[in-house]
Amino acid sequence: MTSSLPSDIRPTRRDRNRQAMLTDIKTLARQQLSEGGPGALSLRAIARQIGTAPSALYRYFANYDDLLSALCIDAYDAAADALIAARDTQTIYDHAGRWWAICQAYRRWALDNTADFALIFGTPVPGYQAPANVTGPAAGRIVAVALQIYVGAVAAGVADPNETQVPESFAAGELLPILLGETAPNLPPQLAGITLTAWTSVLGYLTAEIFGSLNQLVADTETLYQAHIRTIMLGMGFDPLTLDSRNS
Amino acid sequence: MTSSLPSDIRPTRRDRNRQAMLTDIKTLARQQLSEGGPGALSLRAIARQIGTAPSALYRYFANYDDLLSALCIDAYDAAADALIAARDTQTIYDHAGRWWAICQAYRRWALDNTADFALIFGTPVPGYQAPANVTGPAAGRIVAVALQIYVGAVAAGVADPNETQVPESFAAGELLPILLGETAPNLPPQLAGITLTAWTSVLGYLTAEIFGSLNQLVADTETLYQAHIRTIMLGMGFDPLTLDSRNS
DNA sequence: TGTACATCAGTGAACGCGCGTTCACTGATGTAC
DNA sequence: TGTACATCAGTGAACGCGCGTTCACTGATGTAC
């Protein structure tokens, strides 16, 4: 009975094995990167850990770079998913709450997945340049989430974009228009500018905390992060009163 | 006459050659890193470019890691020097101007020395962990410059630290007390917190611009950076009017 | 000023290593009749 | 249900490569008398 289903619906044993192997490879690859930093990824080492011949991996990835690209995309997607999940823990009407939530989730995800974070935002793996056409859209998803929340906040009057001085129009890159078109057509680029400014500030803190020198300077990075986010939100024109009531 | 000076003062031919060789090695090393990313540094390749035997390099650096550490320290120092030089183009009384200046210089330096920037703030080179005792102080210098300016601004009443909500006391790491002791003893940690928050925001933008996705999103990153800095300065409690008069 | 010795820079061959990738192959899993 | 064939996963040996590091050495540069 169970085996009478057409193969389109019920995947064959081979298909299932293949999927399992694919995730095994990627899991081990991520592990290697997290332990040895970028460039520490070795196909042979993965094969060794799996217990297979090195050449067997070429049934799953055409070559070294292909594996890396797959890891990048997975990482972007995982981060975006984490943000979206965090966003949805808050009401649609609580814009400040949503922004706050994605910021917390971003840090959590980064701390819990250092390797992936490094892969995406750190120095590129030697000799590897992520193919922009593949990796770009995945990267855009993350910013899109942030942008969408801010647009909602401004529309609801909870955030005042005029508090900052981002130029009203600035030359956009290739990806931004696509991004804007997807989330909110006819969006004033100023909002995008503010969001990017804010978002890079968030990212900057995380970079400093994860790669860098921050841990040597401050022990309680958690608290400092909250203050950081608050400052950023003030810069975006979120209502100070709302923020204060939330924090205390 | 020239050769009659004691060897303590006039370095021997050997000494001068040695210095030249040292800088040659480091220059080529930096070049390699900038071309191939972290992990792309190869002693053999350097020897090849210099036109010497690989083993000759061991007269100058005990091993691979030693060379990397030297490069790190140089990079930190170069960045700090650039900041200090920029700071000193402004009057001692123009605190906002000084902060603005070091932010501009920071970006310039980062863009002009991507390899060094990546070495310090990017993902670590595989298998290499910078010895904190060597590298820490150099890293501290940079933050010290920023901190010093902010302390001056607050003392002069140009910046109001109470505008933000950084916790008044937070657990400090190992390095911060040393840093504080050097630049300004008995400094309220709140000011340090604000400075760190601000400084990581600056760094975050640069990380995003240099490593990352920002270029795909925005073409005129220059303008956006100015807005970014302005927002950060507002968050630090700098006087909005002063900022506006400067920008226009 | 000239000689004897110590220091140091650079040579070149060799070490053992791990890497990505190819290739002809065996054997298992699926498919069509 | 059973057979014949096609597809695919994995094997194992081999390729050429570049790497960091060691070692005994030669020759140049400095130093002391």
Side-chain angles (χ1 to χ4, degrees):
Chain A
M1 181 198 284
T2 53
S3 60
S4 69
L5 289 163
S7 65
D8 303 2
I9 294 182
R10 187 129 181 37
T12 66
R13 208 179 331 182
R14 244 192 207 159
D15 288 343
R16 270 175 291 128
N17 282 344
R18 191 175 176 80
Q19 285 311 315
M21 187 72 169
L22 269 171
T23 65
D24 274 9
I25 294 175
K26 291 198 281 193
T27 304
L28 286 170
R30 244 193 299 273
Q31 212 173 88
Q32 284 192 19
L33 284 176
S34 80
E35 283 165 11
L41 182 64
S42 150
L43 293 183
R44 288 190 101 101
I46 294 176
R48 232 177 288 130
Q49 289 189 60
I50 292 187
T52 186
S55 46
L57 298 185
Y58 286 79
R59 296 257 165 222
Y60 298 90
F61 295 95
N63 52 37
Y64 188 90
D65 283 14
D66 254 41
L67 173 54
L68 268 179
S69 294
L71 291 177
C72 280
I73 294 176
D74 279 9
Y76 277 120
D77 280 344
D81 289 346
L83 294 192
I84 290 173
R87 178 196 67 189
D88 292 345
T89 60
Q90 309 293 315
T91 336
I92 320 181
Y93 308 105
D94 186 4
H95 301 93
R98 291 184 132 205
W99 181 272
W100 187 266
I102 64 168
C103 287
Q104 301 305 319
Y106 205 24
R107 177 160 180 266
R108 251 304 32 97
W109 180 82
L111 287 175
D112 291 344
N113 304 276
T114 328
D116 295 292
F117 184 82
L119 191 59
I120 307 184
F121 299 111
T123 329
V125 173
Y128 173 76
Q129 181 62 266
N133 53 332
V134 178
T135 241
R141 266 188 77 202
I142 296 182
V143 185
V145 174
L147 183 54
Q148 200 188 32
I149 294 178
Y150 188 56
V151 170
V154 171
V158 184
D160 178 9
N162 297 314
E163 288 233 340
T164 67
Q165 220 187 27
V166 169
E168 295 196 10
S169 77
F170 55 90
E174 307 164 20
L175 222 138
L176 192 57
I178 305 171
L179 204 60
L180 292 179
E182 277 179 4
T183 52
N186 304 327
L187 179 76
Q190 193 193 7
L191 293 194
I194 295 174
T195 305
L196 286 175
T197 293
W199 200 242
T200 54
S201 296
V202 177
L203 184 62
Y205 186 98
L206 296 180
T207 305
E209 178 168 1
I210 286 169
F211 295 151
S213 33
L214 195 58
N215 288 310
Q216 296 182 337
L217 294 170
V218 182
D220 187 6
T221 45
E222 170 84 32
T223 307
L224 197 58
Y225 185 67
Q226 313 304 341
H228 187 63
I229 298 300
R230 187 176 180 279
T231 305
I232 290 170
M233 291 181 76
L234 286 179
M236 298 170 78
F238 273 102
D239 183 14
L241 295 178
T242 323
L243 290 179
D244 290 343
S245 70
R246 184 177 315 278
N247 263 5
S248 57
Chain B
M1 181 200 283
T2 53
S3 60
S4 68
L5 289 162
S7 65
D8 304 3
I9 294 182
R10 187 126 178 44
T12 66
R13 208 178 332 181
R14 243 192 208 159
D15 288 344
R16 272 175 290 129
N17 282 343
R18 191 176 175 80
Q19 285 310 315
M21 187 73 168
L22 270 170
T23 65
D24 273 9
I25 294 175
K26 291 199 281 192
T27 304
L28 287 170
R30 243 192 301 273
Q31 210 173 88
Q32 284 191 20
L33 283 176
S34 80
E35 282 164 11
L41 182 64
S42 150
L43 293 183
R44 288 191 101 100
I46 294 174
R48 231 176 288 130
Q49 290 189 58
I50 291 186
T52 186
S55 48
L57 298 185
Y58 286 79
R59 296 257 165 222
Y60 298 90
F61 296 95
N63 50 37
Y64 188 90
D65 283 14
D66 254 41
L67 173 54
L68 268 178
S69 294
L71 291 177
C72 281
I73 294 176
D74 279 9
Y76 278 119
D77 280 344
D81 289 346
L83 294 192
I84 290 173
R87 179 195 67 190
D88 292 345
T89 60
Q90 308 294 315
T91 335
I92 321 180
Y93 308 105
D94 186 3
H95 300 93
R98 290 184 133 204
W99 182 272
W100 187 266
I102 64 167
C103 287
Q104 302 305 318
Y106 206 23
R107 176 158 180 268
R108 250 304 34 96
W109 181 84
L111 287 176
D112 291 344
N113 304 275
T114 329
D116 296 292
F117 184 82
L119 191 60
I120 309 183
F121 299 111
T123 329
V125 173
Y128 172 76
Q129 181 62 266
N133 53 332
V134 179
T135 242
R141 266 188 77 201
I142 296 182
V143 185
V145 174
L147 183 55
Q148 200 188 33
I149 293 177
Y150 188 56
V151 170
V154 171
V158 184
D160 178 9
N162 296 313
E163 288 232 341
T164 67
Q165 220 189 27
V166 168
E168 294 196 11
S169 78
F170 56 88
E174 306 165 19
L175 221 139
L176 192 57
I178 304 170
L179 204 60
L180 291 179
E182 277 180 5
T183 52
N186 304 327
L187 179 76
Q190 194 194 6
L191 294 195
I194 296 174
T195 305
L196 286 175
T197 294
W199 200 241
T200 54
S201 296
V202 177
L203 184 62
Y205 186 99
L206 296 180
T207 305
E209 178 168 2
I210 287 168
F211 296 151
S213 32
L214 195 58
N215 288 311
Q216 297 181 338
L217 294 170
V218 183
D220 186 6
T221 46
E222 170 84 31
T223 308
L224 197 57
Y225 185 68
Q226 313 305 341
H228 187 64
I229 298 299
R230 188 179 180 278
T231 305
I232 291 170
M233 291 181 76
L234 285 179
M236 297 170 78
F238 273 102
D239 183 15
L241 294 179
T242 322
L243 291 179
D244 290 344
S245 69
R246 182 177 316 278
N247 264 4
S248 57

